[in-house]
Amino acid sequence: LLSLYSGLGVQLTGVVPEKSIKLFVHDQSAPLLGEALSGALAGLCQVVATNPLEIVKVRLQLSSNPDSPLGVLQRLGAASNPLVLYTGAAACAARDSLFSAILFPVYASARTMLAEGDMHMTGALLSLTAGMLAAAPAAYLTTPADVVKTRLQEEREEPADLRDGAAAVVGANGATRGLASGGGGPLAAGRRVLS
């Protein structure tokens, strides 16, 4: 059971700067760019913090030998080449910018619709329901980029770029099965809310 939480420390450490960057950029740019474009920009900017976190987390989760985040960084050679922490950054940027470009405008619209519509929701229930309605399609639609990102960040001989990574995933598993692996959960959760 504890193996399900491998990489949790790295995840918790990285969430604070990642979300701070995302929310700051969104809040500063939304009045000028609107919800979708400011969301995409926020997602793109958060990759500075997200990608190093993701590469360490992926390697901890996929490792058959218990290791520490510091051990992963040492094996990567991050001290001598910090750019290694940005392996798979294009796929991470694609995932994070698309996720936020979907999340922020759907959340804003869902809040308005749920508050002003027949449901007249307020408070925490309004925020939680709008958040679920926004996060479910965002998570589902960005699963292909997440699958490619994870493949690029695995600890083995990897394709050189995003296009080669996507081709490798599709070639090994087929387009639907390969790129959508893990995507059923978020969509199923969204369907349950809407029923």
Side-chain angles (χ1 to χ4, degrees), residues 61-147:
Q61 289 173 337
L62 297 178
S63 175
S64 56
N65 301 321
D67 203 353
S68 69
L70 186 57
V72 170
L73 291 171
Q74 288 171 339
R75 272 199 327 278
L76 281 168
S80 61
N81 181 13
L83 292 179
V84 75
L85 294 174
Y86 291 92
T87 301
C92 194
R95 179 200 64 185
D96 291 350
S97 59
L98 179 59
F99 184 93
S100 296
I102 296 166
L103 180 76
F104 285 111
V106 173
Y107 178 76
S109 295
R111 279 187 62 88
T112 301
M113 179 188 76
L114 293 168
E116 296 173 0
D118 293 338
M119 301 178 118
H120 298 292
M121 283 188 187
T122 59
L125 181 61
L126 172 62
S127 295
L128 290 170
T129 305
M132 195 173 0
L133 290 171
Y140 183 77
L141 293 170
T142 58
T143 294
D146 190 53
V147 171

Side-chain angles (χ1 to χ4, degrees), residues 29-45:
S29 62
L32 298 171
L33 302 176
E35 292 292 336
L37 285 177
S38 66
L41 180 62
L44 186 62
C45 290

Side-chain angles (χ1 to χ4, degrees), residues 10 47-57 73 85-86 153:
V10 175
V47 172
V48 171
T50 304
N51 208 80
L53 159 78
E54 289 280 336
I55 197 162
V56 172
K57 183 182 75 167
L73 291 171
L85 294 174
Y86 291 92
Q153 293 177 339

